Amino acid sequence: MSRSLFGTDGVRGRANSDPMTAEIAMRIGMAAGLVFNRGGHRHRAVIGKDTRLSGYMIEQALTAGFLSVGIDVLLLGPIPTPAVGFLTRSMRADVGVMISASHNPFEDNGIKLFGPDGFKLSDTVEDEIQKLVVAPSRVHLAAPSAIGRAKRMDDSEGRYIEAVKASAARGLDLSNLKIVVDCANGAAYKVAPTVLWELGAEVIPVAVTPDGFNINGDCGSTHPAMLQEHVIAHHADVGIALDGDADRVVLVCEHGRLVDGDQLMATIAEQWKRDGRLTGGGIVATVMSNLGLERFLGTRNMALVRTQVGDRYVLERMRADGFNLGGEQSGHIIMTDHATTGDGLMAALQALSAMIKVGKPASETFRAFEPVPQLLKNVRVGDVNAAMAAASVMKAIAAAEARLGKNGRILVRKSGTEPLIRVMAEGDDSDLVRTVVDQIIEAIPRQAA
């Protein structure tokens, strides 16, 4: 097993390879079961998954691990990640698990853990679990009479559907809208079309035939071209694209143009401020969000607080400082009044509610600001830390910042999962942005790449 088990969003890797093997999944179940075995009550875990073939294997392994330490298990079946957070809390479970690699291809899978409050685990709790995973001799198995029981939960989808509908504006009526929804052949393939239909929309579902292999395959929020084509072909009012576990969303306007997370956050924030619902005085987003979003919020007396990349860091800042809206440019939209993690379907309903309230088409409603030209390029290197610390890189970054001045921004960071350095720049002059990115890339040493 790799030295560090948990990444920025749980455990993730190629299915049937370290760390995503049945053995390690079982040990994670054992460890999590022991960490959350607190008090004398009968303990319970809930386990959801997306539609990957490897989900069957990991689900059974996790279940065996929990049962072996005396934890009962409720199996939710294919269901979005935010539904697991919701059901962990509403079912009074001690721990929740989502088996998913989010927007990754089917070959990958992951394990995301939730505490009894429905929120993802802190670094401290993850460290407790990892210590038990790497030292299985410390795991105390239950006595034969105390082994847990497992059963399927038949109404998990219905409970989540009602929670999503309840999160929308009271009386939200979508009956005048034709909506194409792309479910990425993933976890929301049943619930997303159902929610939209029950709220009155004419629904055209696509990518709703999962076969274990086609999750995120040329569909979903990371591959929106198919959705764009369907919106135009069906003369739809709007398109909604979720990713494999439905915790992120992007929209497509009636003309087929993409609406990213920054535009969605801007739209929702402005509507919530009008309604008196926005707390914290603005929103929380990451360093990747467009400078245009920051300027837009500033003109409306709202703040943009930035964090490092990762929805967990956004949520931590939101909870610490009292914000109820935040997210990422990629479409992770977190609304703590309604959910404990990013929820693509809930975010889409908030955006549709804003569109109906302003009485404008999607192309106008969701073009809250003009994005500042932004360019991101990746460079593969041999030693990421050495490359980042190189004097040539520091000099190139300083020169780029001086050239952009107050009219732009530079961000150079290492990838958390690959030997890559990501170079991003944005500014009012697109030619200058391209130039400074290329100059920084040229300064990066590629030794042993």
Side-chain angles (χ1 to χ4, degrees):
M1 187 183 65
S2 24
R3 183 176 57 85
S4 181
L5 183 62
F6 289 92
T8 57
D9 194 16
V11 183
R12 189 173 297 186
R14 188 175 179 86
N16 235 12
S17 299
D18 173 35
M20 290 311 303
T21 64
E23 178 188 359
I24 294 176
M26 184 176 67
R27 284 156 59 183
I28 290 172
M30 291 176 172
L34 290 175
V35 167
F36 285 98
N37 192 331
R38 300 166 180 174
H41 64 280
R42 189 76 188 176
H43 290 75
R44 171 187 287 178
V46 297
I47 301 178
K49 62 181 180 179
D50 63 24
T51 57
R52 295 163 210 269
L53 176 64
S54 57
Y56 293 101
M57 174 187 75
I58 297 168
E59 178 188 55
Q60 296 301 315
L62 281 165
T63 299
F66 280 119
L67 300 182
S68 71
V69 295
I71 307 295
D72 293 335
V73 174
L74 287 176
L75 298 168
L76 309 178
I79 201 163
T81 287
V84 174
F86 161 71
L87 289 167
T88 300
R89 184 162 60 179
S90 71
M91 296 296 298
R92 296 180 64 185
D94 299 279
V95 60
V97 187
M98 178 62 180
I99 303 166
S100 176
S102 193
H103 58 279
N104 287 26
F106 90 91
E107 293 93 344
D108 296 336
N109 217 327
I111 296 173
K112 305 179 185 184
L113 295 168
F114 296 83
D117 59 358
F119 288 95
K120 291 178 183 177
L121 305 186
S122 66
D123 291 342
T124 302
V125 177
E126 288 182 345
D127 286 344
E128 287 184 59
I129 293 171
Q130 175 156 327
K131 287 175 183 176
L132 290 172
V133 171
V134 300
S137 61
R138 295 175 54 196
V139 173
H140 302 290
L141 300 179
S145 60
I147 292 171
R149 300 173 183 268
K151 65 178 180 179
R152 292 277 168 189
M153 183 174 168
D154 295 329
D155 63 342
S156 56
E157 291 176 3
R159 285 174 180 251
Y160 176 63
I161 285 169
E162 290 305 314
V164 173
K165 288 160 60 180
S167 74
R170 183 172 296 178
L172 177 62
D173 183 2
L174 305 180
S175 59
N176 293 321
L177 296 180
K178 181 187 287 189
I179 301 173
V180 182
V181 58
D182 177 350
C183 299
N185 289 312
Y189 78 101
K190 290 183 181 178
V191 298
T194 300
V195 165
L196 297 170
W197 183 84
E198 290 187 0
L199 289 173
E202 179 183 347
V203 183
I204 301 162
V206 297
V208 289
T209 54
D211 61 9
F213 305 99
N214 59 3
I215 187 170
N216 300 313
D218 294 323
C219 58
S221 62
T222 50
H223 303 282
M226 181 178 70
L227 176 64
Q228 292 170 303
E229 293 172 2
H230 275 79
V231 167
I232 294 172
H234 290 279
H235 304 288
D237 297 292
V238 65
I240 300 170
L242 304 166
D243 69 337
D245 68 336
D247 65 353
R248 70 164 69 178
V249 64
V250 296
L251 300 189
V252 168
C253 78
E254 74 276 15
H255 301 309
R257 288 195 291 268
L258 192 64
V259 180
D260 67 12
D262 284 348
Q263 296 285 358
L264 291 176
M265 286 189 287
T267 302
I268 296 170
E270 187 171 33
Q271 186 61 55
W272 281 15
K273 187 179 182 186
R274 289 195 202 104
D275 295 342
R277 297 175 53 197
L278 190 68
T279 64
I283 67 174
V284 179
T286 76
V287 290
M288 295 303 295
S289 277
N290 195 273
L291 185 59
L293 173 62
E294 186 172 343
R295 291 174 177 175
F296 168 82
L297 295 172
T299 61
R300 286 154 177 78
N301 297 315
M302 291 184 279
L304 175 64
V305 177
R306 294 185 186 268
T307 71
Q308 61 181 300
V309 174
D311 63 306
R312 68 182 298 176
Y313 303 112
V314 172
L315 180 58
E316 285 174 3
R317 188 62 180 270
M318 289 173 66
R319 297 181 75 186
D321 295 344
F323 292 86
N324 63 350
L325 179 62
E328 297 185 282
Q329 188 183 65
S330 61
H332 277 113
I333 311 295
I334 303 172
M335 304 172 295
T336 51
D337 291 347
H338 305 297
T340 58
T341 187
D343 192 312
L345 194 49
M346 285 188 181
L349 292 187
Q350 292 296 326
L352 294 176
S353 176
M355 184 175 82
I356 291 169
K357 285 181 178 180
V358 299
K360 295 179 180 179
S363 56
E364 296 180 38
T365 303
F366 304 128
R367 193 70 173 181
F369 63 89
E370 287 300 318
V372 170
Q374 188 181 77
L375 180 62
L376 171 67
K377 290 187 177 182
N378 298 322
V379 182
R380 188 169 294 272
V381 297
D383 186 329
V384 174
N385 293 324
M388 286 286 291
S392 59
V393 175
M394 298 296 103
K395 183 177 179 181
I397 293 172
E401 290 174 338
R403 293 190 68 181
L404 286 174
K406 295 181 179 179
N407 296 316
R409 197 165 60 94
I410 294 284
L411 177 66
V412 181
R413 65 184 183 91
K414 59 183 180 181
S415 167
T417 57
E418 300 178 85
L420 299 175
I421 292 179
R422 306 191 192 280
V423 181
M424 189 275 285
E426 59 182 354
D428 297 317
D429 185 336
S430 59
D431 291 334
L432 180 56
V433 165
R434 189 178 304 108
T435 297
V436 297
V437 166
D438 289 341
Q439 288 175 343
I440 293 173
I441 287 175
E442 284 298 316
I444 295 174
R446 270 77 155 190
Q447 289 91 340

